[in-house]
Coordinates of all heavy atoms in Angstrom, one line a residue:
M1 N 0.8 -1.2 0.0 CA 0.0 0.0 0.0 C 0.9 1.2 0.0 O 1.9 1.3 0.7 CB -0.9 0.0 1.2 CG -1.9 -1.1 1.3 SD -3.0 -1.1 -0.1 CE -4.5 -0.9 0.7
K2 N 0.5 2.2 -0.8 CA 1.3 3.4 -0.9 C 0.7 4.6 -0.1 O -0.5 4.6 0.2 CB 1.3 3.8 -2.4 CG 2.0 2.9 -3.3 CD 2.0 3.4 -4.7 CE 2.7 2.5 -5.7 NZ 2.6 3.0 -7.0
L3 N 1.5 5.6 0.1 CA 1.1 6.9 0.6 C 0.8 7.8 -0.6 O 1.5 7.7 -1.6 CB 2.2 7.5 1.5 CG 2.5 6.8 2.8 CD1 3.8 7.3 3.3 CD2 1.4 7.0 3.8
Y4 N -0.1 8.7 -0.5 CA -0.5 9.6 -1.6 C -0.8 10.9 -1.0 O -1.5 11.0 0.0 CB -1.7 9.1 -2.4 CG -2.0 9.9 -3.6 CD1 -1.2 9.7 -4.7 CD2 -3.0 10.8 -3.6 CE1 -1.5 10.4 -5.9 CE2 -3.2 11.5 -4.8 CZ -2.5 11.3 -5.9 OH -2.7 12.0 -7.0
L5 N -0.2 12.0 -1.5 CA -0.3 13.3 -1.0 C -1.3 14.2 -1.8 O -1.2 14.2 -3.1 CB 1.0 14.0 -1.0 CG 1.1 15.5 -0.6 CD1 0.7 15.7 0.9 CD2 2.4 16.1 -0.9
I6 N -2.2 14.9 -1.2 CA -3.0 16.0 -1.8 C -2.6 17.3 -1.1 O -2.9 17.4 0.1 CB -4.5 15.7 -1.7 CG1 -4.8 14.4 -2.3 CG2 -5.3 16.9 -2.3 CD1 -6.3 13.9 -2.2
S7 N -1.9 18.2 -1.8 CA -1.3 19.3 -1.2 C -1.8 20.6 -1.9 O -2.1 20.6 -3.1 CB 0.2 19.3 -1.3 OG 0.8 20.5 -0.8
D8 N -1.9 21.7 -1.1 CA -2.2 23.0 -1.7 C -1.0 23.8 -2.1 O -1.1 24.9 -2.6 CB -3.0 23.8 -0.7 CG -2.3 24.2 0.5 OD1 -1.7 23.3 1.2 OD2 -2.1 25.4 0.8
N9 N 0.2 23.2 -1.9 CA 1.4 24.0 -2.2 C 2.5 23.0 -2.8 O 2.6 21.8 -2.4 CB 2.0 24.8 -1.0 CG 2.4 23.9 0.1 OD1 3.5 23.3 0.0 ND2 1.6 23.9 1.2
L10 N 3.3 23.6 -3.6 CA 4.4 22.8 -4.3 C 5.5 22.4 -3.3 O 6.1 21.3 -3.5 CB 4.9 23.7 -5.4 CG 5.9 23.0 -6.4 CD1 5.2 21.8 -7.1 CD2 6.4 23.9 -7.5
D11 N 5.8 23.2 -2.3 CA 6.9 22.9 -1.4 C 6.6 21.6 -0.7 O 7.6 20.7 -0.6 CB 7.0 24.0 -0.3 CG 7.4 25.3 -0.9 OD1 8.1 25.3 -1.9 OD2 7.1 26.3 -0.2
T12 N 5.4 21.3 -0.2 CA 5.1 20.1 0.5 C 5.2 18.9 -0.5 O 5.8 17.8 -0.2 CB 3.7 20.1 1.1 OG1 3.7 21.2 2.0 CG2 3.4 18.8 1.8
Q13 N 4.7 19.1 -1.7 CA 4.8 18.0 -2.7 C 6.2 17.7 -3.0 O 6.6 16.5 -3.1 CB 4.0 18.4 -4.0 CG 4.0 17.3 -5.0 CD 3.7 17.7 -6.4 OE1 3.9 18.8 -6.8 NE2 3.1 16.7 -7.1
M14 N 7.1 18.7 -3.2 CA 8.5 18.4 -3.5 C 9.2 17.7 -2.4 O 9.9 16.7 -2.6 CB 9.2 19.7 -3.8 CG 8.7 20.4 -5.1 SD 8.8 19.3 -6.6 CE 10.5 19.2 -6.8
G15 N 8.9 18.0 -1.2 CA 9.5 17.4 0.0 C 9.0 15.9 0.0 O 9.8 15.0 0.3
M16 N 7.8 15.7 -0.2 CA 7.2 14.3 -0.2 C 7.8 13.5 -1.4 O 8.1 12.3 -1.2 CB 5.7 14.3 -0.2 CG 5.1 14.8 1.1 SD 5.5 13.7 2.5 CE 4.7 14.5 3.8
R17 N 8.0 14.1 -2.5 CA 8.6 13.4 -3.6 C 10.0 12.9 -3.3 O 10.4 11.8 -3.7 CB 8.6 14.3 -4.9 CG 7.4 14.3 -5.7 CD 7.7 14.9 -7.0 NE 6.4 15.0 -7.8 CZ 6.3 15.8 -8.8 NH1 7.3 16.5 -9.3 NH2 5.2 15.8 -9.5
L18 N 10.7 13.7 -2.6 CA 12.1 13.3 -2.2 C 12.0 12.1 -1.3 O 13.0 11.3 -1.2 CB 12.8 14.5 -1.5 CG 13.2 15.7 -2.4 CD1 13.7 16.8 -1.5 CD2 14.2 15.2 -3.4
A19 N 10.9 11.9 -0.5 CA 10.7 10.8 0.3 C 10.1 9.6 -0.4 O 9.8 8.6 0.2 CB 9.9 11.2 1.5
G20 N 9.8 9.8 -1.7 CA 9.2 8.7 -2.5 C 7.7 8.6 -2.5 O 7.2 7.6 -2.9
I21 N 7.1 9.7 -2.1 CA 5.6 9.8 -2.0 C 5.0 10.6 -3.2 O 5.4 11.7 -3.3 CB 5.2 10.3 -0.7 CG1 5.7 9.5 0.5 CG2 3.6 10.5 -0.6 CD1 5.5 10.1 1.8
D22 N 4.2 9.9 -4.0 CA 3.5 10.6 -5.1 C 2.4 11.5 -4.6 O 1.9 11.3 -3.5 CB 3.0 9.6 -6.1 CG 4.0 8.9 -6.9 OD1 5.1 9.5 -7.1 OD2 3.8 7.7 -7.2
G23 N 2.0 12.4 -5.4 CA 0.8 13.3 -5.0 C 0.6 14.3 -6.1 O 1.2 14.4 -7.1
V24 N -0.4 15.2 -5.7 CA -0.8 16.3 -6.6 C -0.9 17.6 -5.8 O -1.1 17.5 -4.6 CB -2.2 16.0 -7.2 CG1 -2.1 14.8 -8.2 CG2 -3.3 15.8 -6.2
V25 N -0.8 18.7 -6.5 CA -1.0 20.0 -6.0 C -2.3 20.5 -6.5 O -2.6 20.4 -7.7 CB 0.1 21.0 -6.4 CG1 -0.2 22.4 -5.9 CG2 1.5 20.5 -5.8
V26 N -3.2 20.9 -5.6 CA -4.5 21.3 -6.0 C -4.8 22.7 -5.6 O -4.2 23.3 -4.7 CB -5.6 20.4 -5.3 CG1 -5.5 19.0 -5.9 CG2 -5.5 20.4 -3.8
H27 N -5.7 23.4 -6.3 CA -6.1 24.7 -6.0 C -7.6 24.8 -6.1 O -8.2 24.5 -7.2 CB -5.5 25.7 -7.0 CG -4.0 25.6 -7.1 ND1 -3.2 26.1 -6.1 CD2 -3.2 25.0 -8.0 CE1 -1.9 25.8 -6.4 NE2 -1.9 25.2 -7.5
G28 N -8.3 25.2 -5.1 CA -9.7 25.4 -5.1 C -10.5 24.1 -4.7 O -9.9 23.0 -4.6
E29 N -11.7 24.3 -4.3 CA -12.6 23.3 -3.8 C -12.8 22.2 -4.8 O -12.7 21.0 -4.5 CB -13.9 23.8 -3.4 CG -13.8 24.7 -2.1 CD -15.1 25.3 -1.7 OE1 -16.2 24.8 -2.1 OE2 -15.1 26.3 -1.0
Q30 N -13.1 22.5 -6.1 CA -13.5 21.5 -7.1 C -12.3 20.6 -7.4 O -12.4 19.4 -7.4 CB -13.9 22.2 -8.4 CG -14.4 21.3 -9.5 CD -15.6 20.5 -9.1 OE1 -16.5 20.9 -8.3 NE2 -15.7 19.3 -9.6
E31 N -11.1 21.2 -7.6 CA -9.9 20.4 -7.9 C -9.5 19.5 -6.7 O -9.1 18.4 -6.9 CB -8.8 21.4 -8.2 CG -7.6 20.8 -8.9 CD -6.6 21.8 -9.4 OE1 -6.9 23.0 -9.5 OE2 -5.4 21.3 -9.6
T32 N -9.7 20.0 -5.5 CA -9.4 19.2 -4.3 C -10.3 18.1 -4.2 O -9.9 16.9 -3.9 CB -9.4 20.1 -3.0 OG1 -8.5 21.2 -3.2 CG2 -9.0 19.3 -1.8
A33 N -11.6 18.3 -4.4 CA -12.6 17.2 -4.3 C -12.4 16.2 -5.3 O -12.4 15.0 -5.1 CB -14.0 17.8 -4.4
E34 N -12.0 16.6 -6.5 CA -11.8 15.6 -7.6 C -10.5 14.8 -7.3 O -10.5 13.6 -7.5 CB -11.6 16.3 -9.0 CG -12.9 16.9 -9.5 CD -12.7 17.8 -10.7 OE1 -11.5 18.0 -11.2 OE2 -13.7 18.3 -11.2
A35 N -9.5 15.4 -6.8 CA -8.3 14.7 -6.4 C -8.5 13.7 -5.3 O -8.0 12.6 -5.3 CB -7.2 15.7 -6.1
L36 N -9.3 14.1 -4.3 CA -9.6 13.2 -3.2 C -10.5 12.0 -3.7 O -10.2 10.9 -3.3 CB -10.4 14.0 -2.1 CG -10.8 13.1 -0.9 CD1 -9.6 12.5 -0.2 CD2 -11.5 14.0 0.1
D37 N -11.5 12.3 -4.5 CA -12.3 11.2 -5.1 C -11.5 10.2 -5.9 O -11.6 9.0 -5.7 CB -13.4 11.7 -5.9 CG -14.5 12.5 -5.2 OD1 -14.5 12.3 -3.9 OD2 -15.2 13.3 -5.8
A38 N -10.6 10.7 -6.7 CA -9.7 9.8 -7.5 C -8.8 9.0 -6.6 O -8.6 7.8 -6.8 CB -8.9 10.7 -8.5
A39 N -8.2 9.6 -5.6 CA -7.3 8.9 -4.7 C -8.0 7.8 -3.9 O -7.5 6.8 -3.6 CB -6.6 9.9 -3.7
M40 N -9.3 8.1 -3.5 CA -10.1 7.1 -2.8 C -10.4 5.9 -3.6 O -10.6 4.8 -3.0 CB -11.4 7.8 -2.3 CG -11.2 8.8 -1.2 SD -10.4 8.2 0.3 CE -11.7 7.1 1.0
E41 N -10.4 6.0 -4.9 CA -10.7 4.9 -5.8 C -9.5 4.1 -6.1 O -9.7 3.0 -6.7 CB -11.4 5.4 -7.0 CG -12.8 6.0 -6.7 CD -13.7 5.2 -5.9 OE1 -13.8 3.9 -6.2 OE2 -14.3 5.7 -4.9
R42 N -8.3 4.6 -5.8 CA -7.1 3.8 -6.2 C -6.9 2.6 -5.2 O -6.9 2.8 -4.0 CB -5.9 4.7 -6.1 CG -5.9 5.8 -7.3 CD -4.7 6.6 -7.3 NE -3.4 5.8 -7.2 CZ -2.2 6.4 -7.3 NH1 -2.1 7.7 -7.5 NH2 -1.2 5.6 -7.3
S43 N -6.7 1.5 -5.8 CA -6.6 0.3 -4.9 C -5.2 0.2 -4.3 O -5.0 -0.6 -3.4 CB -6.9 -1.0 -5.7 OG -6.0 -1.1 -6.8
D44 N -4.2 0.9 -4.9 CA -2.8 0.8 -4.4 C -2.5 1.8 -3.3 O -1.5 1.8 -2.7 CB -1.8 1.0 -5.5 CG -1.9 2.4 -6.2 OD1 -3.0 3.0 -6.1 OD2 -0.9 2.8 -6.7
V45 N -3.5 2.7 -2.9 CA -3.3 3.8 -1.9 C -3.8 3.3 -0.6 O -5.0 3.0 -0.5 CB -3.9 5.1 -2.4 CG1 -3.8 6.1 -1.2 CG2 -3.2 5.6 -3.6
G46 N -3.0 3.3 0.4 CA -3.4 2.9 1.8 C -3.6 4.1 2.7 O -4.5 4.1 3.6
I47 N -2.9 5.2 2.5 CA -3.0 6.4 3.3 C -2.9 7.6 2.4 O -2.0 7.7 1.6 CB -1.8 6.5 4.3 CG1 -1.9 5.3 5.3 CG2 -1.9 7.8 5.1 CD1 -0.7 5.2 6.2
I48 N -3.9 8.5 2.6 CA -3.9 9.8 1.9 C -3.5 10.8 2.9 O -4.1 11.0 3.9 CB -5.3 10.1 1.3 CG1 -5.7 9.0 0.3 CG2 -5.3 11.5 0.7 CD1 -7.1 9.1 -0.2
L49 N -2.4 11.5 2.5 CA -1.9 12.7 3.3 C -2.5 13.9 2.7 O -2.4 14.1 1.5 CB -0.4 12.7 3.3 CG 0.3 11.4 3.7 CD1 1.8 11.5 3.4 CD2 0.0 11.1 5.1
M50 N -3.0 14.8 3.6 CA -3.5 16.1 3.1 C -3.0 17.2 3.9 O -2.9 17.1 5.1 CB -5.1 16.1 3.1 CG -5.7 15.1 2.2 SD -7.5 15.1 2.2 CE -7.8 16.6 1.3
T51 N -2.7 18.4 3.3 CA -2.3 19.6 4.0 C -3.5 20.2 4.6 O -4.7 20.0 4.1 CB -1.6 20.5 3.1 OG1 -2.4 20.9 2.0 CG2 -0.2 20.0 2.5
P52 N -3.4 21.1 5.6 CA -4.5 21.7 6.3 C -5.4 22.5 5.3 O -6.6 22.4 5.4 CB -3.9 22.6 7.3 CG -2.6 22.0 7.6 CD -2.1 21.4 6.3
E53 N -4.8 23.2 4.4 CA -5.6 24.0 3.4 C -6.4 23.1 2.5 O -7.5 23.4 2.1 CB -4.8 25.0 2.6 CG -4.3 26.1 3.5 CD -5.4 27.0 4.0 OE1 -6.4 27.3 3.3 OE2 -5.3 27.3 5.2
A54 N -5.8 22.0 2.1 CA -6.5 21.0 1.2 C -7.7 20.4 2.0 O -8.8 20.3 1.4 CB -5.6 19.9 0.7
V55 N -7.5 20.1 3.2 CA -8.6 19.6 4.0 C -9.8 20.6 4.2 O -10.9 20.3 4.0 CB -8.2 19.1 5.4 CG1 -9.3 18.8 6.3 CG2 -7.2 17.9 5.3
K56 N -9.4 21.9 4.4 CA -10.4 22.9 4.5 C -11.2 23.1 3.2 O -12.4 23.4 3.3 CB -9.7 24.3 4.8 CG -9.2 24.4 6.2 CD -8.6 25.8 6.4 CE -7.9 25.8 7.8 NZ -7.2 27.1 7.9
C57 N -10.6 22.8 2.1 CA -11.3 23.0 0.8 C -12.5 22.0 0.7 O -13.5 22.3 0.0 CB -10.4 22.8 -0.3 SG -9.3 24.3 -0.6
C58 N -12.4 20.8 1.3 CA -13.4 19.8 1.2 C -13.6 19.1 2.5 O -13.6 17.8 2.5 CB -13.2 18.9 0.0 SG -11.7 18.0 0.1
S59 N -13.7 19.8 3.6 CA -13.8 19.2 4.9 C -15.0 18.3 5.1 O -14.9 17.2 5.7 CB -13.8 20.3 6.0 OG -14.9 21.1 5.8
E60 N -16.1 18.6 4.5 CA -17.3 17.7 4.6 C -17.1 16.4 3.9 O -17.5 15.3 4.4 CB -18.5 18.4 4.0 CG -19.0 19.6 4.9 CD -20.2 20.3 4.4 OE1 -20.9 19.7 3.4 OE2 -20.5 21.4 4.9
R61 N -16.5 16.5 2.7 CA -16.2 15.2 2.0 C -15.2 14.4 2.7 O -15.3 13.1 2.8 CB -15.7 15.6 0.6 CG -15.5 14.4 -0.3 CD -15.2 14.9 -1.7 NE -16.3 15.7 -2.2 CZ -16.8 15.7 -3.4 NH1 -16.3 14.8 -4.3 NH2 -17.8 16.4 -3.8
V62 N -14.1 15.0 3.3 CA -13.2 14.3 4.1 C -13.8 13.6 5.3 O -13.6 12.4 5.5 CB -12.0 15.2 4.6 CG1 -11.1 14.5 5.6 CG2 -11.2 15.7 3.4
A63 N -14.7 14.3 6.0 CA -15.4 13.7 7.1 C -16.3 12.5 6.7 O -16.3 11.5 7.4 CB -16.2 14.8 7.8
K64 N -16.9 12.7 5.6 CA -17.8 11.6 5.1 C -17.0 10.4 4.7 O -17.4 9.3 5.1 CB -18.6 12.1 3.8 CG -19.5 11.1 3.2 CD -20.2 11.6 2.0 CE -21.1 10.6 1.4 NZ -21.3 10.7 0.0
Y65 N -15.9 10.5 4.1 CA -15.0 9.4 3.7 C -14.5 8.7 5.0 O -14.4 7.5 5.1 CB -13.9 9.8 2.8 CG -14.2 9.9 1.4 CD1 -13.8 10.9 0.6 CD2 -14.9 8.8 0.7 CE1 -14.1 11.0 -0.8 CE2 -15.2 8.9 -0.6 CZ -14.8 9.9 -1.4 OH -15.1 10.0 -2.7
K66 N -14.1 9.5 6.0 CA -13.6 9.0 7.2 C -14.6 8.1 7.9 O -14.3 7.1 8.5 CB -13.1 10.1 8.2 CG -11.8 10.7 7.8 CD -11.3 11.7 8.8 CE -10.0 12.3 8.5 NZ -9.5 13.2 9.5
L67 N -15.9 8.6 7.9 CA -16.9 7.8 8.6 C -17.4 6.6 7.8 O -17.8 5.6 8.4 CB -18.1 8.8 8.8 CG -18.0 9.8 9.8 CD1 -19.1 10.8 9.8 CD2 -17.8 9.2 11.2
E68 N -17.4 6.7 6.5 CA -18.0 5.6 5.7 C -17.0 4.6 5.2 O -17.4 3.5 4.8 CB -18.7 6.2 4.5 CG -19.9 7.0 4.8 CD -20.6 7.7 3.7 OE1 -20.1 7.5 2.5 OE2 -21.6 8.3 3.9
R69 N -15.7 4.9 5.1 CA -14.7 4.0 4.5 C -13.6 3.7 5.5 O -13.1 4.6 6.1 CB -14.2 4.6 3.2 CG -15.2 5.0 2.2 CD -15.2 4.3 0.9 NE -14.0 3.8 0.4 CZ -13.5 4.1 -0.8 NH1 -14.1 5.1 -1.5 NH2 -12.5 3.5 -1.3
A70 N -13.2 2.5 5.6 CA -12.1 2.1 6.4 C -10.8 2.3 5.8 O -9.8 2.7 6.4 CB -12.2 0.6 6.8
T71 N -10.7 2.2 4.5 CA -9.5 2.5 3.7 C -9.8 3.2 2.5 O -10.9 3.1 1.9 CB -8.7 1.2 3.3 OG1 -9.6 0.4 2.5 CG2 -8.3 0.4 4.5
P72 N -8.9 4.0 2.0 CA -7.6 4.4 2.6 C -7.8 5.4 3.8 O -8.9 6.1 3.8 CB -6.8 5.1 1.5 CG -7.8 5.5 0.5 CD -9.0 4.6 0.6
L73 N -6.9 5.4 4.6 CA -6.9 6.3 5.8 C -6.6 7.7 5.3 O -5.6 7.9 4.5 CB -5.9 5.9 6.8 CG -5.7 6.8 8.0 CD1 -6.9 6.7 8.9 CD2 -4.4 6.3 8.8
I74 N -7.3 8.7 5.7 CA -7.1 10.1 5.4 C -6.5 10.8 6.6 O -7.1 10.7 7.7 CB -8.3 10.8 4.9 CG1 -9.0 10.2 3.7 CG2 -8.0 12.3 4.6 CD1 -10.3 10.7 3.3
T75 N -5.3 11.4 6.5 CA -4.8 12.1 7.6 C -4.2 13.4 7.2 O -3.7 13.6 6.1 CB -3.7 11.2 8.3 OG1 -3.2 11.9 9.5 CG2 -2.5 11.0 7.4
E76 N -4.4 14.4 8.1 CA -3.9 15.8 7.8 C -2.5 15.9 8.3 O -2.2 15.5 9.5 CB -4.8 16.7 8.6 CG -4.4 18.2 8.3 CD -5.4 19.1 9.0 OE1 -6.6 18.7 9.3 OE2 -5.0 20.2 9.4
I77 N -1.6 16.4 7.5 CA -0.2 16.6 7.9 C 0.1 18.1 7.9 O -0.4 18.8 7.0 CB 0.8 15.9 7.0 CG1 0.6 16.3 5.5 CG2 0.6 14.4 7.1 CD1 1.8 15.9 4.6
P78 N 0.9 18.6 8.8 CA 1.2 20.0 8.8 C 2.2 20.3 7.7 O 3.0 19.5 7.3 CB 1.8 20.3 10.1 CG 2.3 19.0 10.6 CD 1.4 17.9 10.0
D79 N 2.1 21.5 7.0 CA 3.1 21.9 6.1 C 3.9 23.0 6.6 O 3.7 23.4 7.8 CB 2.4 22.3 4.7 CG 1.5 23.4 4.9 OD1 1.4 24.0 6.0 OD2 0.8 23.8 3.9
R80 N 4.8 23.5 5.9 CA 5.7 24.5 6.4 C 5.0 25.8 6.7 O 5.6 26.6 7.5 CB 6.9 24.7 5.5 CG 6.6 25.4 4.2 CD 7.9 25.6 3.4 NE 7.7 26.4 2.2 CZ 7.9 27.7 2.2 NH1 8.4 28.3 3.2 NH2 7.6 28.4 1.1
H81 N 3.8 26.0 6.2 CA 3.1 27.2 6.5 C 2.1 27.1 7.6 O 1.4 28.0 8.0 CB 2.3 27.6 5.2 CG 3.2 27.8 4.0 ND1 4.1 28.9 3.9 CD2 3.3 27.1 2.9 CE1 4.7 28.8 2.8 NE2 4.3 27.7 2.1
A82 N 2.0 25.9 8.2 CA 1.0 25.6 9.2 C 1.3 26.5 10.5 O 2.4 26.6 11.0 CB 1.1 24.1 9.6
Q83 N 0.2 27.0 10.9 CA 0.2 27.8 12.2 C -0.3 27.1 13.3 O -0.3 27.5 14.5 CB -0.6 29.1 12.0 CG -0.2 30.0 10.8 CD 1.2 30.5 11.1 OE1 1.6 30.9 12.2 NE2 2.0 30.6 10.0
S84 N -0.8 25.9 13.1 CA -1.5 25.1 14.2 C -0.4 24.3 14.9 O 0.6 24.0 14.4 CB -2.6 24.2 13.6 OG -2.0 23.2 12.7
D85 N -0.8 23.9 16.1 CA 0.0 23.0 16.9 C -0.2 21.6 16.5 O -1.3 21.1 16.4 CB -0.5 23.2 18.4 CG 0.3 22.4 19.4 OD1 1.4 21.9 19.0 OD2 -0.2 22.2 20.5
V86 N 0.9 20.9 16.2 CA 0.8 19.5 15.7 C 0.1 18.6 16.8 O -0.7 17.7 16.5 CB 2.2 18.9 15.4 CG1 2.1 17.5 15.0 CG2 2.8 19.8 14.2
T87 N 0.4 18.8 18.1 CA -0.2 18.0 19.1 C -1.7 18.2 19.2 O -2.4 17.2 19.3 CB 0.4 18.4 20.5 OG1 1.9 18.3 20.4 CG2 -0.1 17.5 21.6
A88 N -2.1 19.4 19.0 CA -3.6 19.7 18.9 C -4.2 19.0 17.7 O -5.3 18.5 17.9 CB -3.8 21.2 18.9
A89 N -3.5 19.0 16.6 CA -4.1 18.3 15.4 C -4.2 16.8 15.7 O -5.2 16.2 15.3 CB -3.2 18.6 14.2
I90 N -3.2 16.2 16.3 CA -3.3 14.8 16.6 C -4.4 14.5 17.6 O -5.2 13.5 17.4 CB -1.9 14.3 17.1 CG1 -0.9 14.3 15.9 CG2 -2.0 12.8 17.6 CD1 0.5 14.1 16.4
S91 N -4.5 15.3 18.6 CA -5.6 15.1 19.6 C -6.9 15.2 19.0 O -7.8 14.5 19.3 CB -5.4 16.2 20.7 OG -4.2 16.0 21.4
R92 N -7.1 16.2 18.1 CA -8.4 16.4 17.4 C -8.7 15.2 16.5 O -9.8 14.7 16.5 CB -8.4 17.7 16.6 CG -9.7 18.0 15.9 CD -9.7 19.2 15.0 NE -9.0 18.9 13.8 CZ -7.9 19.4 13.3 NH1 -7.2 20.3 14.0 NH2 -7.3 19.0 12.2
Y93 N -7.7 14.7 15.9 CA -7.9 13.5 15.0 C -8.3 12.3 15.9 O -9.2 11.6 15.5 CB -6.6 13.2 14.2 CG -6.8 12.0 13.3 CD1 -7.6 12.2 12.1 CD2 -6.2 10.8 13.6 CE1 -7.8 11.1 11.3 CE2 -6.4 9.7 12.7 CZ -7.2 9.9 11.6 OH -7.3 8.8 10.7
L94 N -7.7 12.1 17.0 CA -8.1 11.0 17.9 C -9.5 11.1 18.4 O -10.2 10.2 18.5 CB -7.1 10.9 19.0 CG -5.7 10.3 18.7 CD1 -4.8 10.4 19.9 CD2 -5.9 8.9 18.2
R95 N -9.9 12.4 18.8 CA -11.2 12.6 19.2 C -12.2 12.3 18.2 O -13.3 11.6 18.4 CB -11.4 14.1 19.6 CG -11.0 14.4 21.0 CD -11.6 15.7 21.5 NE -11.3 16.8 20.5 CZ -10.2 17.5 20.5 NH1 -9.2 17.3 21.3 NH2 -10.1 18.5 19.6
E96 N -11.9 12.6 16.9 CA -12.8 12.4 15.8 C -12.9 10.9 15.5 O -14.0 10.3 15.3 CB -12.4 13.1 14.5 CG -12.5 14.6 14.6 CD -11.9 15.2 13.4 OE1 -11.4 14.6 12.5 OE2 -11.9 16.5 13.3
A97 N -11.8 10.2 15.5 CA -11.7 8.8 15.1 C -12.2 7.9 16.2 O -12.9 6.9 16.0 CB -10.3 8.4 14.8
V98 N -11.8 8.1 17.5 CA -12.1 7.2 18.6 C -13.2 7.7 19.5 O -13.9 6.9 20.1 CB -10.8 6.9 19.4 CG1 -11.1 5.9 20.5 CG2 -9.7 6.4 18.5
G99 N -13.4 9.0 19.6 CA -14.4 9.6 20.4 C -13.8 9.8 21.8 O -14.6 9.9 22.8
V100 N -12.5 9.9 22.0 CA -11.9 10.1 23.3 C -11.7 11.6 23.5 O -11.2 12.3 22.6 CB -10.6 9.4 23.4 CG1 -9.9 9.7 24.7 CG2 -10.8 7.9 23.3

């Protein structure tokens, strides 16, 4: 199973490419939603990594996929522009996923 990145910026995509992770750079809600739908249908993708801005573009769709589908796993990763606390993001994800 592969990792796949959906990013709103080229810097994150280039960094992930150096680590061997494929992905796309998206701009706007429509393009982000299309990229997410396409990634969800790929049988070789096990984890979809998304930047915070990409998640914001289609947050309802991300939430729906997280609730309805076991795989691939969708996770938000901070990028170099992130202003949020990584610990808070992980805690929020656990609350959503487990209900703790």
